[in-house]
Structures are given as structure tokens and as C-alpha cells.
Amino acid sequence: MAEPEFTAMDVRIGKGLRSLSRAGQVRIRGGRLELLTSYGSEIDSAPVRAVRASRPWFGSADRALADLNGTRYQLTLRERDPAPGEPGPPVARRFIEAVRRAAGHDD
């Protein structure tokens, strides 16, 4: 079975109150989650099994949290969200589901 793949462009990646990239990239490939700058430089990466992805308690549907290597990153995933009334989950929810599928947690 092929591993799940996920890519999101133009992602705002932050750590604490600091913005690391306003147009970064989040990628799941080969069993790893990678956070990249807009220039393609790696911010952080980890095996998907070691990543925890969730939604923040408060915030809009385009936000997600990712814990990699003991660091919590705030992600604002805006790429290609479905228009109101169109089918399909927001990108942030697809990201969280992709992390869970790639890690083998299909629940």
C-alpha cells in the first residue's frame, strides 16, 4: 500500500509569537513530515509517527498545531480551501487526517 502524501503551499508557519515563514510549505513524504520555508529550506522535520497534529482550542478552520521534536508550530493552511457550499474539508483538517493516516492511526 502506498504511503499517504500531503502537500500544502503558502502556509504561515509560526513558533510561539514568532513567524518563521509566511509562505512556507508543509509536506508529508516517505514517512516524514517536513516544514519548509518559501525558499525550500528545512525549518524542521520528523518521522510522522513522532508528530502530533491537532486543532487549536480557539481559532479559525484554517489553523492547525504540529508538535515536532519537542517544538510546537502553529500552521495557517490557506491553500485551496473549498468555497462556502462546496464539498470537502478545510486544508487544516485534511492535514491532521493525513498525519494520522501516515502514522497508522486511522481512527
Side-chain angles (χ1 to χ4, degrees):
M1 179 167 100
E3 287 193 43
E5 299 285 326
F6 178 87
T7 300
M9 307 290 287
D10 296 326
V11 178
R12 178 177 220 118
I13 302 171
K15 181 170 82 171
L17 296 175
R18 191 168 150 227
S19 178
L20 301 174
S21 181
R22 285 189 254 159
Q25 184 177 0
V26 175
R27 189 167 52 195
I28 297 174
R29 179 177 64 180
R32 292 188 70 80
L33 173 69
E34 301 171 326
L35 302 178
L36 307 169
T37 66
S38 56
Y39 299 108
S41 300
E42 184 176 290
I43 295 170
D44 204 348
S45 71
V48 177
R49 290 190 177 273
V51 173
R52 207 176 68 165
S54 61
R55 293 240 325 128
W57 283 64
F58 301 102
S60 59
D62 64 348
R63 296 192 181 214
L65 300 172
D67 293 329
L68 283 83
N69 302 319
T71 304
R72 176 170 284 181
Y73 295 95
Q74 296 92 22
L75 309 174
T76 304
L77 300 112
R78 300 181 190 154
E79 181 187 321
R80 291 183 238 124
D81 272 347
E86 288 188 15
V91 175
R93 186 163 28 143
R94 286 197 338 255
F95 163 71
I96 293 166
E97 290 169 358
V99 169
R100 289 182 180 153
R101 275 194 316 270
H105 305 292
D106 290 329
D107 38 18

